[in-house]
Amino acid sequence: MPVVPQPAGRRERNKQEKLERITQAASELFARYGVDEVTTQQIAEAADIGTGTLFLYAKTKGELLLLVQNIHYAQALERGVQAAAATTKTLDGLMALLEPIVECNRVHTENGRTYLREMVFGDPSEPHHGEALEIVAQTQQAVAGLLCERENLDETAAATLAQVVSSIMFLSMAASANAPAAVGEILQGIRAQIEAILPG
């Protein structure tokens, strides 16, 4: 006899509802003012909860940014994987995969650069930080899979090259010199660097 899943209890529903309010409030405030100009108190007030309750869901403002941005980055990766499947050449496929991620990062430049900084230097034991690193791992797996398929690389070589591609994208998005650069300029730089390291 199949097991019928039980509906979430009231306490669990309340927790989920608060998390959604926090995510919505932080997302709107960060988008409007930038992460540096928003306080945790403002987010708590906008979410209609106490600051102490807010810290149960995210201990720092950086964690709140990860909470918000992880959702967007995961969606960007999904779009990139779909776009890459519609290409035939390796370089075109890689750029189709990475373009939505770069676009996501540049919706609000300083938020995007802060997100990358938090991802690298934040507390890896925090759940939202772990989610961000998982998105990076999934991106590298997608790059490696494309390289295995189109360049006939073995898994080890493809994984190593995927890490290099990931580093190129990360540094291109995070570099202070690129802060004023448009998405197209960043993508052009990424493309040139990847083209230089591709086999053959």
Side-chain angles (χ1 to χ4, degrees):
M1 182 175 244
V3 177
V4 179
Q6 296 298 311
R10 179 177 295 173
R11 184 176 178 185
E12 197 57 39
R13 289 199 306 271
N14 285 342
K15 282 176 62 178
Q16 184 60 35
E17 184 184 298
K18 284 178 184 173
L19 178 61
E20 289 171 1
R21 292 208 313 263
I22 291 166
T23 305
Q24 182 69 26
S27 180
E28 290 176 1
L29 288 168
F30 289 157
R32 189 179 306 166
Y33 302 110
V35 65
D36 292 337
E37 302 302 320
V38 176
T39 66
T40 52
Q41 180 65 40
Q42 289 172 316
I43 294 170
E45 288 175 1
D48 195 27
I49 59 171
T51 307
T53 301
L54 178 67
F55 290 140
L56 294 175
Y57 293 84
K59 293 179 182 176
T60 66
K61 193 164 61 169
E63 277 291 305
L64 283 167
L65 181 64
L66 290 172
L67 167 67
V68 168
Q69 294 289 77
N70 284 343
I71 298 167
H72 299 307
Y73 277 74
Q75 292 169 344
L77 175 57
E78 189 176 326
R79 291 195 302 274
V81 169
Q82 292 173 355
T87 65
T88 54
K89 295 182 180 178
T90 304
L91 183 58
D92 290 342
L94 291 173
M95 292 310 300
L97 176 63
L98 302 181
E99 184 173 346
I101 298 171
V102 175
E103 289 174 343
C104 177
N105 179 262
R106 306 306 278 195
V107 169
H108 190 294
T109 301
E110 283 312 305
N111 287 356
R113 294 178 70 224
T114 302
Y115 174 83
L116 298 176
R117 190 165 59 243
E118 285 292 329
M119 186 176 66
V120 173
F121 299 111
D123 182 352
S125 68
E126 291 292 340
H128 307 308
H129 183 271
E131 289 168 8
L133 293 178
E134 179 57 28
I135 295 168
V136 173
Q138 290 172 1
T139 303
Q140 290 182 4
Q141 287 166 6
V143 170
L146 196 149
L147 289 168
C148 282
E149 177 189 326
R150 299 188 185 180
E151 295 295 324
N152 294 318
L153 296 180
D154 63 52
E155 290 184 6
T156 302
T160 300
L161 194 53
Q163 287 181 322
V164 177
V165 169
S166 181
S167 297
I168 288 170
M169 180 174 66
F170 179 91
L171 289 172
S172 297
M173 294 189 299
S176 297
N178 284 345
V183 170
E185 294 174 282
I186 293 174
L187 288 170
Q188 188 175 14
I190 291 172
R191 185 184 184 95
Q193 291 177 74
I194 293 176
E195 188 172 21
I197 64 168
L198 282 178

